[in-house]
Amino acid sequence: MRGCLRLLAGLIAFLFVIAAVLALFVVNLAQIVTDRGTMKEALDLGPLVVEAGPLLLVEAMQEEAGARGVAVADIDTAALQAAAREIAPPEWTNAQIDTAVDALFDYLETGDMDKATLEIDVRPIVERLRGEAGGRAIRAVLQSLPVCTDSQTDFDSAMENLEIPACLPPGFSVEEATQVVQEAVNDALDENPDLLNEAGQVQVEVFKEVQRTGEGQAGLEQFQQTFMRIKQWGWLLWLLPLGLLLLIALLAVRSLSEWGHWWGWPLAVTAVIALLLALGIPAIMTALLRMAPIAPPGIGSFTIPPEQMARRLLQPLVSLWQKRIFVQAGGMFVLGSLLIVVGFVTRRNKRAAHEMA
């Protein structure tokens, strides 16, 4: 009977290792993605937006010009990025990202769709776009354009539609063209008061596109409910390994020595496996991300490349997740090692006491 109980306890110890590693990984991940403060600290997309935006603009211009049979010289991307940092500095972009995170979490935590609305203060951007920084950005783009011919896109038509011109009018210098483009941008801003209300706030509904279909609305509601379940009850996953430890104690522990070994070894093995997996999983995720087929952004798309966005999103989150795993698994390993030592010491003392008797 005693042997059967020990065999059953060994099987439960094996299950404990699996359950504890799973709880360690899942609970920490759930705590990170459901905490708005943690997400704000982890997401640092401001520099990425400022760096990638001008590059996407250059790529879109070159593709569009190539489709029209126009040769575009190399654009000074460094000057364009410098101007972009002035127009939309990383600190402003990060502030808007924080606002977006707040709006998202306000909806996820309440289920109130009205809370999923961003209020973005665009006054600093408009002021810089009207000023010297906007002029430098426009100049960096225009100085690479060829002179228009009769078969090429008309510069005035491009200005009327606020399109990126494919060429410059004959006899126009870059400075003159820059002034024309900037005046067109300023006129467009003045003629569209809906873009800027009196408070200088632009409201953006986060889930406007998703809500257009009943299927999208249902999926959004299900996601919100799942988020709340994970946030409120995710920690309960720890009850499974704790229950298995108690079951091991009931089945196999009859002394302090046995307690040290039956709890110490599973804890130590769990910690080692968790540490090894935590070290390897980020590398596997990075490899999978690089292998995943991702379509390039279309012409005129000002969306950050999905692979680059995913990597910038995942890296800080995975790094924070790793740190938590290392700390908790390290503590688990220390505790397990101490219990193992207790098991050996008490067993030796008990054996010595029997020999003396």
Side-chain angles (χ1 to χ4, degrees):
M1 183 65 178
R2 178 70 170 168
C4 291
L5 291 177
R6 285 178 173 270
L7 181 61
L8 183 58
L11 177 60
I12 294 174
F14 175 75
L15 294 176
F16 164 81
V17 173
I18 297 176
V21 171
L22 182 64
L24 196 63
F25 284 10
V26 174
V27 173
N28 279 290
L29 180 61
Q31 290 176 343
I32 290 173
V33 299
T34 58
D35 183 78
R36 75 170 68 201
T38 301
M39 293 297 291
K40 285 182 180 182
E41 293 178 6
L43 298 179
D44 184 21
L45 296 179
L48 175 63
V49 173
V50 174
E51 292 168 11
L55 299 180
L56 289 172
L57 174 61
V58 170
E59 181 182 352
M61 284 183 56
Q62 291 173 339
E63 291 184 8
E64 187 174 354
R68 296 176 180 177
V70 180
V72 177
D74 291 336
I75 298 176
D76 189 352
T77 55
L80 195 57
Q81 287 177 326
R85 278 191 289 270
E86 284 189 69
I87 296 172
E91 56 270 18
W92 181 88
T93 308
N94 282 330
Q96 309 318 309
I97 293 172
D98 286 347
T99 301
V101 171
D102 281 331
L104 175 62
F105 273 82
D106 286 344
Y107 163 70
L108 292 175
E109 292 173 354
T110 64
D112 185 358
M113 190 61 68
D114 293 336
K115 294 184 179 294
T117 301
L118 304 183
E119 290 190 357
I120 302 176
D121 184 6
V122 297
R123 286 173 298 181
I125 301 299
V126 173
E127 290 174 2
R128 297 186 186 103
L129 191 61
R130 291 179 184 271
E132 295 181 2
R136 281 192 290 271
I138 295 171
R139 189 180 303 108
V141 173
L142 296 182
Q143 66 186 2
S144 64
L145 299 180
V147 177
C148 291
T149 64
D150 294 338
S151 61
Q152 293 175 347
T153 303
D154 181 72
F155 183 81
D156 293 334
S157 175
M159 290 302 94
E160 290 177 2
N161 299 319
L162 278 183
E163 296 175 349
I164 300 173
C167 55
L168 296 179
F172 258 50
S173 67
V174 173
E175 292 298 328
E176 290 173 330
T178 299
Q179 184 176 359
V180 171
V181 173
Q182 192 160 24
E183 288 177 356
V185 172
N186 292 341
D187 290 342
L189 292 172
D190 294 335
E191 293 171 3
N192 291 273
D194 292 339
L195 182 63
L196 279 175
N197 57 27
E198 294 181 358
Q201 302 284 334
V202 172
Q203 292 190 344
V204 180
E205 296 181 17
V206 178
F207 301 114
K208 183 177 181 180
E209 296 296 326
V210 179
Q211 289 180 281
R212 289 185 175 180
T213 63
E215 184 179 349
Q217 177 71 23
L220 191 60
E221 291 177 357
Q222 185 176 5
F223 176 74
Q224 187 269 333
Q225 293 170 2
T226 303
F227 173 88
M228 287 306 300
R229 291 192 191 101
I230 293 174
K231 183 178 179 65
Q232 293 175 349
W233 308 109
W235 62 272
L236 292 177
L237 191 59
W238 276 115
L239 295 181
L240 178 58
L242 290 176
L244 293 174
L245 277 181
L246 293 176
L247 193 55
I248 291 172
L250 291 174
L251 293 174
V253 173
R254 298 295 180 271
S255 65
L256 184 61
S257 174
E258 291 179 339
W259 175 69
H261 285 291
W262 278 103
W263 277 24
W265 285 109
L267 286 171
V269 171
T270 298
V272 172
I273 293 176
L275 289 170
L276 292 176
L277 289 177
L279 286 171
I281 285 179
I284 296 174
M285 291 177 61
T286 301
L288 291 175
L289 196 60
R290 289 175 179 173
M291 293 171 58
I294 299 176
I299 294 176
S301 171
F302 294 91
T303 304
I304 296 174
E307 181 183 359
Q308 193 176 8
M309 172 68 84
R311 188 173 302 153
R312 188 61 70 95
L313 282 171
L314 289 177
Q315 281 180 344
L317 295 178
V318 170
S319 177
L320 180 58
W321 175 80
Q322 273 186 309
K323 290 178 181 178
R324 293 193 177 195
I325 297 295
F326 291 158
V327 171
Q328 295 177 19
M332 193 178 293
F333 181 79
V334 171
L335 178 59
S337 300
L338 290 175
L339 288 173
I340 293 172
V341 171
V342 168
F344 278 115
V345 170
T346 53
R347 176 179 294 180
R348 186 180 60 183
N349 292 341
K350 184 178 181 180
R351 185 178 301 170
H354 278 298
E355 292 176 355
M356 291 179 61

